Amino acid sequence: NKLIEERVEIVLTAHPTEVNRKTLLRKYRKVAELLNKLDRPDFHPYERSEAVSQLQRLVASIWGSDEIRREKPTVQKEAAGGIAVIESVLWDAVPSYLRKLNSQCTVSLGKRLPIDCVPIKFASWIGGDRDGNPNVTPEVTREVVAHQRLRAAKLFLADFNALYNELAISTRFSKEMDALADTITDSFDKREKYRRVVGHLRKRLVKTIKLFEAELEALTSEQSATTAEVGSLRQLSGWEDVEPILKPEDLMEPLRIMYDSLVETGFEMVADGLLVDIIRRCAAFGTTLVKLDIREESTKHTEALDAITRYLGIGSYIEWDETARLNFLQSELAGKRPLYRNTDIDKLGAPPSVVKTLNTFKMASNLGPEALGAYVISQAQTASDVLAVMLLQKQYGMTSKNGNLMRVVPLFETLDDLINAPDVMDTLFRISTYMGAVKGTQEVMVGYSDSAKDAGRLAACWAQYTAQEKMVQVAQKHNVVLTFFHGKGGTVGRGGNPALHRAILSHPPNTINGRFRVTEQGEMITQNFGSPAIAERTLDIYTSAVLAEGFKKHVEPKPEWRDQMSRISLNSCAAYRGLIREEPRFVPYFRQATPELELGTLNIGSRPAKRNPKGGIESLRAIPWTFAWTQTRTHLSAWLGVGDALYTDVEADLVGMQDMYKNWPWFREVIDLIAMILSKTDYSISKNYDDQLVEKTEELISIGNEIRERLVKTRQGVLKVTESSAMAGPHVSLLRASTKIRNPYLDPMNVIQAEILKRSRAADDDEKVKQILQDALIVSINGISQGLRNSG
């Protein structure tokens, strides 16, 4: 039952951390496939010779390819990359993984997995995440969804073409199958009723393809490659007279009737073939491949409501306090009338940014619930931030009563926001109109990247732990089923963990309960889903870890451990912020000692590196912040403040932390990850960047030396707590085997990069020289990212 009830959702994002071009990624994947083939002992000599020749051609082609993205990708291209992962890998990997899971259930439990049971599904932010990205407009989101529907229809059409050939059965049908076939009169398949139904579904899929082909042509000024491809489909006559397939149940209902009929009439082996795979694909991917989340910053909704209240002549929403806002929002949510006529949007006198926000809701209301997932509110701080989105959805007819309401997910992503989150949720759960709309379920997103950038790794980890604990208690008090959405990056500094199974098991007690939602972004999509075999392995790990977590007896932290964690997290946060926020030398040093300013030339994402282009470090996104320190092998963002917390001369404190490390799995995992990242740091390479790039002033030279002294202190602190003489732990032992091979190539690249940065910053106005240096720099950034296995 726990397996059937398990709900894991992996959310693909376009966060700019994948430095490789898609063209090269495809070639790398082919190289990996050929190397696997060459390892086979039964390979025929001729086949081996052909594989070697093909490998040589690929390597030659890669050598001749441009490694550099010359243009920033559009949102549409980012979305196409996400679709490509599903189309080329997951479309086959998911049913294959489910077949293995079903086989294991049959062997171990004596029970089959229900055919429409899919413990893991996928969602996406690509094309819906507009937080700080002005390129994600309502029109772009609509275009992305249309592309997803088009690709889904094509993939299903290919499946149904194969299924049509497979189900050439002319005898023995269930009553339900007879009734379904009788509803289809325009068919050449008179006796072969499965073919009659499949043929009709094929016509509907062609109608769907034509529908979204036309929509895309209307949305774009030029015909896309995806649209042009439609012409190559084999035409099925009569598609003009049928309805398109828009909802998953349009496919699932006839598929289930066919499956049940085959089983009932003795054709169970046939039913368990391609038909089951299609049913599972329908359950996993629906008719849009992935459901699209929408994410927007809370202030955008506040500004929209301010424009509306001013238009209505009832004051300025922005100037109201939280109580006044909640009163207004509750009153309007309980009422039946809209705030204004939707056709009067131009009469509001609102700035373009507000009109864009309102048009986003208008667009979402027309896409349909089968296309949309969660509405995520970044920088959420109050209950009114959540109710504001509920009200704007209601304005455009998206309510729980008509089934069009997007679930609203507050994202708590700074230290203060995490601390205040339980009180915010308690306030929401006390509002009857809100509780009536959410129907006893709630999703909350925990921000790992920005909280670590705000407070440092250790303080952020403890805030995330305690916030989740307290929110669970609040939800239980109000009889709400709570699901956490974990916004993690690939690197340790942004909440990542290379040991996925242990990472899931180390979550706070009672916070998963078979429900787990998490982001997969940038280079991690390639690493975890880059080939069918790797994708299946990743799906296996997610399934088994979330299942095992439900049976695991968690270690509850002792009161003295909690007290100690509170003390050391305060010390860690103070040390981290003391350098990042209060030290005037830090910003000039950071910009000179790292390639932060040059990262914008990478063209690895459609969104700007800063939420506010005029802001400083505080407005810099967590990805370039981490990316810059990763390149110099300093990894400052992952360990700063940890040494101040762990290194102590007080014997009782040290003994307490050693006890925590030995007996508290969560704390041990935190420390082991920090040990792993410390083993990636390199003192001499970090110093070389300073020697080459930093102005020879006492202020800047001294801060670099202080940072490296803190690095040494952090290493010593970790060694004391772990009672080791060298960096150890499962993460470190795995890393050593890899770095032994990689570092001889990686170290020279770091030295070369520092020299390139030095020359580039001192270059004159010779455009040809500047271009050569810029290209060399980008290649070095790509190489170091590949060597370290992650970027931001």
Side-chain angles (χ1 to χ4, degrees):
N1 287 339
K2 280 188 176 290
L3 179 60
I4 294 171
E5 293 167 2
E6 186 173 301
R7 296 291 179 269
V8 176
E9 192 165 42
I10 299 168
V11 183
L12 308 178
T13 79
H15 285 43
T17 59
E18 175 56 80
V19 296
N20 290 296
R21 294 178 62 204
K22 292 287 187 295
T23 299
L24 291 175
L25 286 173
R26 284 194 292 270
K27 291 179 179 179
Y28 294 153
R29 186 188 304 158
K30 188 63 179 175
V31 167
E33 291 171 0
L34 287 170
L35 289 173
N36 282 334
K37 284 184 179 179
L38 289 169
D39 282 339
R40 283 171 46 191
D42 61 338
F43 224 28
H44 189 277
Y46 171 75
E47 291 175 321
R48 181 175 295 278
S49 172
E50 282 296 298
V52 169
S53 296
Q54 193 175 356
L55 187 59
Q56 290 171 336
R57 285 194 294 271
L58 272 171
V59 172
S61 171
I62 290 168
W63 272 112
S65 299
D66 191 350
E67 298 177 68
I68 299 168
R69 282 194 185 97
R70 297 297 173 181
E71 295 180 354
K72 219 170 175 59
T74 62
V75 178
Q76 292 92 326
K77 285 186 177 180
E78 288 177 329
I83 291 173
V85 171
I86 297 170
E87 194 169 359
S88 62
V89 177
L90 295 173
W91 192 256
D92 291 322
V94 168
S96 178
Y97 135 80
L98 288 169
R99 279 191 176 277
K100 291 176 186 174
L101 185 60
N102 176 62
S103 178
Q104 191 62 53
C105 288
T106 305
V107 171
S108 303
L109 304 174
K111 295 180 180 179
R112 289 175 56 90
L113 195 69
I115 59 169
D116 56 354
C117 174
V118 181
I120 297 181
K121 295 186 179 182
F122 291 85
S124 176
W125 276 12
I126 312 174
D129 182 8
R130 54 227 329 115
D131 175 22
N133 190 345
N135 300 307
V136 183
T137 63
E139 294 75 22
V140 165
T141 302
R142 186 180 162 197
E143 185 181 342
V144 167
V145 171
H147 269 296
Q148 289 176 184
R149 285 188 178 277
L150 179 60
R151 296 311 305 171
K154 285 189 173 187
L155 288 167
F156 276 119
L157 181 59
D159 279 353
F160 276 98
N161 285 337
L163 188 65
Y164 183 85
N165 293 329
E166 192 171 294
L167 295 184
I169 295 172
S170 58
T171 59
R172 303 207 304 266
F173 306 99
S174 69
K175 291 180 181 179
E176 292 78 10
M177 184 65 209
D178 282 331
L180 175 62
D182 288 346
T183 63
I184 302 164
T185 55
D186 183 19
S187 172
F188 294 110
D189 298 301
K190 302 300 182 184
R191 299 184 64 233
E192 297 171 336
K193 296 185 179 181
Y194 295 113
R195 279 188 160 188
R196 191 190 308 178
V197 172
V198 171
H200 182 68
L201 291 171
R202 289 197 300 171
K203 290 179 184 179
R204 294 185 66 187
L205 286 167
V206 170
K207 179 65 174 282
T208 309
I209 290 169
K210 294 295 184 180
L211 174 68
F212 290 105
E213 175 187 22
E215 182 172 331
L216 285 168
E217 286 182 3
L219 285 169
T220 56
S221 57
E222 58 185 51
Q223 194 178 43
S224 69
T226 305
T227 303
E229 189 184 307
V230 173
S232 65
L233 290 173
R234 183 165 66 88
Q235 296 299 306
L236 291 166
S237 61
W239 62 266
E240 301 93 337
D241 304 322
V242 298
E243 292 296 316
I245 289 175
L246 301 178
K247 298 178 180 180
E249 50 266 33
D250 293 343
L251 284 176
M252 188 62 85
E253 289 174 6
L255 287 169
R256 285 301 304 256
I257 290 172
M258 286 191 287
Y259 176 86
D260 292 341
S261 176
L262 287 166
V263 171
E264 183 182 321
T265 56
F267 293 105
E268 187 170 358
M269 294 292 290
V270 178
D272 201 32
L274 177 59
L275 179 58
V276 161
D277 288 345
I278 297 175
I279 289 172
R280 286 171 173 158
R281 283 174 180 143
C282 185
F285 302 110
T287 50
T288 58
L289 292 186
V290 286
K291 287 196 172 189
L292 191 69
D293 283 6
I294 291 177
R295 181 171 76 140
E296 183 58 280
E297 188 183 339
S298 60
T299 55
K300 298 293 185 182
H301 312 126
T302 302
E303 291 167 1
L305 285 172
D306 186 70
I308 293 168
T309 56
R310 287 177 181 273
Y311 170 73
L312 296 174
I314 57 175
S316 170
Y317 182 83
I318 285 178
E319 294 175 3
W320 295 347
D321 62 18
E322 179 66 3
T323 301
R325 289 183 182 184
L326 287 175
N327 288 337
F328 167 74
L329 293 167
Q330 290 180 70
S331 173
E332 292 299 326
L333 282 168
K336 293 183 178 181
R337 62 178 177 82
L339 293 166
Y340 59 91
R341 287 186 297 182
N342 291 336
T343 53
D344 290 348
I345 190 170
D346 294 330
K347 298 178 182 179
L348 296 179
S353 61
V354 168
V355 173
K356 183 179 177 183
T357 299
L358 295 174
N359 280 333
T360 296
F361 285 94
K362 180 180 179 181
M363 172 273 304
S365 69
N366 293 322
L367 290 180
E370 68 278 358
L372 298 172
Y375 194 110
V376 180
I377 310 167
S378 59
Q379 300 185 42
Q381 297 177 331
T382 62
S384 64
D385 288 336
V386 177
L387 293 187
V389 173
M390 299 285 284
L391 181 58
L392 290 171
Q393 286 196 74
K394 175 177 176 285
Q395 172 65 27
Y396 286 92
M398 301 169 71
T399 67
S400 58
K401 290 181 180 179
N402 61 21
N404 285 337
L405 180 71
M406 292 180 71
R407 63 186 189 277
V408 183
V409 180
L411 165 54
F412 301 110
E413 50 190 333
T414 68
L415 186 66
D416 288 343
D417 292 345
L418 285 166
I419 291 170
N420 296 329
D423 290 336
V424 171
M425 300 314 299
D426 188 55
T427 301
L428 276 173
F429 295 156
R430 292 177 185 277
I431 298 171
S432 58
T433 50
Y434 182 77
M435 290 294 282
V438 300
K439 297 177 181 177
T441 62
Q442 177 67 52
E443 187 176 314
V444 172
M445 186 169 183
V446 178
Y448 289 72
S449 303
D450 285 293
S451 58
K453 178 175 173 284
D454 175 45
R457 167 79 179 161
L458 201 59
C461 283
W462 184 234
Q464 292 152 13
Y465 188 100
T466 55
Q468 289 179 70
E469 275 190 322
K470 291 175 182 176
M471 281 190 274
V472 164
Q473 293 167 5
V474 168
Q476 289 173 342
K477 183 175 70 174
H478 294 281
N479 296 315
V480 172
V481 177
L482 187 61
T483 300
F484 285 110
F485 180 10
H486 303 277
K488 299 186 178 189
T491 55
V492 172
R494 297 184 52 244
N497 186 330
L500 178 58
H501 195 277
R502 281 213 321 277
I504 291 173
L505 293 182
S506 66
H507 276 258
N510 305 314
T511 59
I512 293 182
N513 300 318
R515 301 179 300 278
F516 192 75
R517 201 167 193 251
V518 67
T519 53
E520 283 279 13
Q521 51 193 249
E523 82 280 17
M524 300 311 298
I525 295 176
T526 305
Q527 287 184 29
N528 290 336
F529 301 102
S531 71
I534 292 173
E536 286 181 41
R537 176 65 177 155
T538 302
L539 295 172
D540 286 341
I541 294 171
Y542 269 114
T543 305
S544 63
V546 173
L547 189 62
E549 193 276 338
F551 293 97
K552 181 185 177 183
K553 185 176 180 181
H554 287 273
V555 175
E556 292 282 353
K558 302 174 185 176
E560 55 266 32
W561 293 352
R562 290 181 179 275
D563 292 341
Q564 181 117 0
M565 269 309 304
S566 297
R567 286 197 304 273
I568 65 176
S569 65
L570 285 173
N571 293 341
S572 175
C573 182
Y576 177 90
R577 288 178 171 176
L579 180 68
I580 303 300
R581 295 186 181 183
E582 298 166 18
E583 174 54 70
R585 299 171 296 165
F586 179 75
V587 173
Y589 170 78
F590 169 57
R591 293 201 160 134
Q592 290 183 37
T594 74
E596 183 258 328
L597 293 173
E598 288 82 2
L599 289 176
T601 62
L602 273 177
N603 292 326
I604 59 175
S606 66
R607 75 180 189 183
K610 291 183 177 181
R611 282 190 169 97
N612 176 7
K614 297 179 181 179
I617 296 293
E618 74 286 346
S619 69
L620 187 69
R621 287 186 179 273
I623 289 173
W625 165 249
T626 303
F627 206 147
W629 290 114
T630 301
Q631 286 286 303
T632 66
R633 309 271 286 280
T634 309
H635 296 282
L636 181 82
S637 58
W639 58 261
L640 182 61
V642 174
D644 301 84
L646 301 184
Y647 192 91
T648 177
D649 294 324
V650 180
E651 186 67 20
D653 286 348
L654 179 58
V655 170
M657 287 187 286
Q658 289 171 343
D659 179 42
M660 290 158 63
Y661 181 79
K662 289 175 185 173
N663 299 305
W664 188 9
W666 175 83
F667 184 74
R668 183 165 58 248
E669 190 68 12
V670 170
I671 299 301
D672 284 347
L673 279 170
I674 291 169
M676 184 268 286
I677 210 71
L678 288 171
S679 69
K680 277 188 169 186
T681 61
D682 193 296
Y683 187 103
S684 60
I685 284 178
S686 173
K687 188 175 186 305
N688 183 59
Y689 277 87
D690 283 16
D691 294 343
Q692 297 295 326
L693 302 172
V694 176
E695 287 179 41
K696 301 301 184 284
T697 63
E698 179 61 31
E699 292 82 4
L700 295 182
I701 292 173
S702 62
I703 194 172
N705 290 333
E706 289 168 21
I707 285 173
R708 281 181 289 279
E709 287 170 8
R710 289 190 182 207
L711 173 59
V712 172
K713 182 180 179 181
T714 304
R715 285 176 172 169
Q716 292 171 344
V718 169
L719 292 175
K720 280 189 172 186
V721 169
T722 60
E723 299 181 84
S724 306
S725 57
M727 289 297 163
H731 299 293
V732 175
S733 59
L734 282 171
L735 181 67
R736 280 205 181 109
S738 175
T739 54
K740 188 176 181 180
I741 299 170
R742 293 167 179 268
N743 279 0
Y745 301 94
L746 195 56
D747 294 348
M749 275 195 280
N750 279 113
V751 174
I752 292 168
Q753 185 184 80
E755 179 64 26
I756 294 169
L757 284 165
K758 180 181 177 181
R759 294 189 188 187
S760 178
R761 291 173 182 179
D764 55 24
D765 294 332
D766 188 329
E767 290 299 324
K768 184 176 180 181
V769 171
K770 288 170 74 174
Q771 186 63 55
I772 291 171
L773 288 170
Q774 181 174 314
D775 285 0
L777 175 62
I778 292 171
V779 171
S780 75
I781 290 172
N782 291 356
I784 292 167
S785 297
Q786 285 290 92
L788 292 171
R789 296 298 306 274
N790 49 43
S791 45

